[in-house]
Amino acid sequence: MKIVDARVVLTSPGRNFVTLKVETDEGVTGLGDATLNGRELAVVGYLRDHVVPLLLGTDPHRIEDTWQALYRGAYWRRGPVTMAAIAAVDVALWDIKAKVAGLPLYQLLGGASRERVRTYGHASGRDIPELFDSIRARLAEGYPAIRVQTGVPGLERVYGVHHGATPDGARPVVEDWDTGAYLRSLPGVFDAVRQEFGPELTLLHDAHHRLTPIQAARLGKDLEPYDLFWLEDCTPAENQDGLRLVRRHTTTPLAIGEVFNTVFDYQTLVGEQLIDYVRSAVTHFGGVSPLRKLFDFAAQHQIKSAIHGPEDISPVGTAAAIHLDLAIHNFGIQEYAGHTALTHEVFPHAYTFTDGYLHPGEAPGLGIELDEELAAAHPYEPAYLPINRLQDGTIHDW
Ligand code: EZ4
Ligand code: CO
C-alpha cells in the first residue's frame, strides 16, 4: 500500500480547523487534525511545504517509522507547529490502518476498557446568577462534571467568560487581569456553588496559567473546602520545578498540559508525581502514538488522562481522543465543549454524546468524514486568542 496524495483542508464552520486528508493507492483515506488556534496558517505551510512531499510514495502502515522520521528527521525537534503537523499525519495513518482492519480505532489500541467516556462541560457567568443559569444548562444537557469560570469584581472582560461582544478577528481582544481580585473572589464563588448545588456535583476550575507558584499554592489551599476534582493550569509550567512548591502546600488535585507538546514537558511533573491529570490533546502532542506513551508513563505514577477538548480541536481530533479514552486503563475524564451544528455537518461522525458520556461508535477507523464542498464554502477567517493586560497596561501571563 502507498500514499498517493495528501491535502490540507482549512475551513471555518464556526472556528478555524486544519485537516489533513491522506489518500492511498487502494482508495482508503485517512483524516488527521492539525488545528493550532491563532497560528493555523503556520501548520498549513509546515504540512503542505515540508511534510506532504515526504509522505508521497511511503507505506501508510508504517506509523511509528513515519512518526520517527518526521520528528527526528526535521532536526528541529518539538514545538507546537511541528507537533500539530506530525499529529495530523499520525492520526490519519491510524485511521487508514483501522479502516483496512475493518475495526474502530479503539480496538487496535487494546479494545474497550470501559463502556463509555465520562466528560465535563463548561459553565461560566459574569456574576453568580449568570453562573448558576449556566451550570443549570450544563446539568440539563446531562454533564456529570462541570468546569466553573466567573467574572472577577472590578474587571470588565475575563477570559473564558462570555461578554456578549463580537471580537474583531484580525487582532487579539484585550482582556483585564488582577490576580489579587481573582484570589479574593474565587473561594466565595465556589462556596455559593456548593450551597446551591450541594456536595455531590463534580466541579473543576481552570486558572489558565495566570498565577505564580506561591499564589497557586494559596488558591489550592483556599479551595480545599469545596472539594474540586481539579485545579487546572494553576501556574505556567515551562518552569516544572514551580509545581513542587504548589504540591507541598495543597491537596487540591492538579491538572496541567494543554499547551505541552512532548513527554519532555512532563518529565519532572510526572516523574515526581507533582500533578494528578495530564491534559495534552492528540492534536497538539504529535498524535495517538506519543500520547499513548505519555499515558503509560503517567500510569506508573498514578496519574490519569484528561484530554483537552475545547471547541478549537476539530471533530477529527475529538474522535481520536475518544478512541484513546475508551481504550486506556488510566482514563480520568474527557473535556467536551462540543461544536457548532455546522461543524458537525462539515465533519459527519460516528461518535455520540449521550447523557454526558461520549462513545467513539463502531465505524471502522476514526469514524469521521470530511464534507469538502461544505468545508470550502466556509473559508478561513483570521482569529486570535485574547491577551491579558493588568490595570497599568502590562501584559500578563496566560
Ligand atoms: O483556552 O482551547 O481547558 N481548556 C482551555 C481552552 C483553551 C483554548 C485555547 O485555544 O483552557 O478553552
Ligand atoms: Co484549560
Side-chain angles (χ1 to χ4, degrees):
M1 205 174 187
K2 271 191 172 49
I3 295 173
V4 292
D5 193 17
R7 283 199 306 289
V8 186
V9 176
L10 183 54
T11 180
S12 186
R15 281 184 174 265
N16 292 313
F17 297 117
V18 180
T19 309
L20 178 70
K21 183 168 183 178
V22 176
E23 299 194 1
T24 64
D25 56 351
E26 294 178 21
V28 184
T29 62
L31 295 177
D33 179 25
T35 306
L36 189 63
N37 190 344
R39 296 293 183 272
E40 295 87 355
L41 299 182
V43 190
V44 171
Y46 192 106
L47 278 169
R48 192 193 49 214
D49 299 335
H50 303 295
V51 172
V52 167
L54 303 178
L55 289 180
L56 300 180
T58 65
D59 177 357
H61 280 304
R62 297 186 64 176
I63 301 175
E64 182 69 19
D65 184 67
T66 302
W67 194 97
Q68 298 295 345
L70 291 174
Y71 181 77
R72 293 171 203 279
Y75 187 71
W76 309 106
R77 296 187 184 195
R78 310 167 63 184
V81 175
T82 299
M83 300 313 287
I86 296 177
V89 175
D90 181 82
V91 169
L93 299 191
W94 276 110
D95 190 18
I96 289 169
K97 190 184 285 294
K99 281 178 182 164
V100 170
L103 294 169
L105 175 58
Y106 75 84
Q107 295 289 11
L108 302 195
L109 302 176
S113 285
R114 58 197 48 77
E115 302 306 316
R116 52 188 190 152
V117 170
R118 174 173 63 155
T119 70
Y120 71 91
H122 296 174
S124 72
R126 282 168 292 189
D127 52 27
I128 300 274
E130 209 176 88
L131 172 65
F132 283 6
D133 286 348
S134 181
I135 293 175
R136 287 192 192 98
R138 296 296 85 75
L139 290 172
E141 287 159 6
Y143 279 102
I146 297 179
R147 189 189 82 170
V148 167
Q149 308 295 125
T150 54
V152 174
L155 302 186
E156 283 270 305
R157 305 164 76 104
V158 172
Y159 182 67
V161 179
H162 184 61
H163 289 270
T166 318
D168 163 14
R171 301 205 65 82
V173 169
V174 176
E175 295 182 333
D176 310 316
W177 192 246
D178 177 339
T179 302
Y182 168 72
L183 291 175
R184 283 190 296 278
S185 70
L186 195 65
V189 170
F190 275 93
D191 191 49
V193 171
R194 280 289 176 224
Q195 284 188 39
E196 180 72 12
F197 295 94
E200 308 286 332
L201 181 59
T202 301
L203 297 174
L204 306 84
H205 179 72
D206 193 342
H208 293 301
H209 316 101
R210 290 179 293 210
L211 306 175
T212 64
I214 197 69
Q215 291 166 342
R218 168 181 158 191
L219 184 63
K221 276 170 79 164
D222 288 351
L223 293 176
E224 279 170 22
Y226 310 111
D227 188 25
L228 266 60
F229 185 84
W230 77 43
L231 172 61
E232 174 180 343
D233 288 338
C234 61
T235 188
E238 291 100 318
N239 177 16
Q240 296 186 38
D241 297 348
L243 267 294
R244 290 197 191 108
L245 188 149
V246 183
R247 195 63 157 176
R248 274 201 296 273
H249 286 283
T250 181
T251 57
T252 294
L254 303 173
I256 284 192
E258 67 183 52
V259 301
F260 292 177
N261 48 69
T262 71
V263 70
F264 301 105
D265 299 320
Y266 285 105
Q267 270 181 328
T268 304
L269 297 181
V270 170
E272 297 184 23
Q273 204 163 344
L274 300 180
I275 57 174
D276 302 282
Y277 296 91
V278 293
R279 297 272 299 128
S280 289
V282 174
T283 304
H284 302 129
F285 203 74
V288 164
S289 305
L291 195 53
R292 191 163 62 151
K293 294 173 191 175
L294 172 70
F295 292 150
D296 286 343
F297 173 40
Q300 295 170 37
H301 301 273
Q302 296 161 289
I303 295 169
K304 292 189 173 178
S305 76
I307 297 180
H308 192 208
E311 301 91 331
D312 50 287
I313 282 173
S314 88
V316 177
T318 305
I322 302 166
H323 284 278
L324 258 176
D325 291 333
L326 198 73
I328 60 169
H329 175 253
N330 58 329
F331 168 75
I333 200 164
Q334 171 67 49
E335 184 181 32
Y336 183 64
H339 292 104
T340 64
L342 185 58
T343 301
H344 290 296
E345 267 185 69
V346 170
F347 297 96
H349 53 77
Y351 69 78
T352 51
F353 177 68
T354 315
D355 299 329
Y357 287 77
L358 287 158
H359 192 282
E362 300 298 341
L366 281 174
I368 189 138
E369 280 157 58
L370 171 63
D371 182 334
E372 290 191 58
E373 237 174 81
L374 194 56
H378 299 278
Y380 168 75
E381 289 170 27
Y384 292 98
L385 284 160
I387 53 174
N388 295 304
R389 288 189 188 274
L390 304 180
Q391 273 148 340
D392 70 355
T394 308
I395 296 267
H396 190 63
D397 272 319
W398 264 101

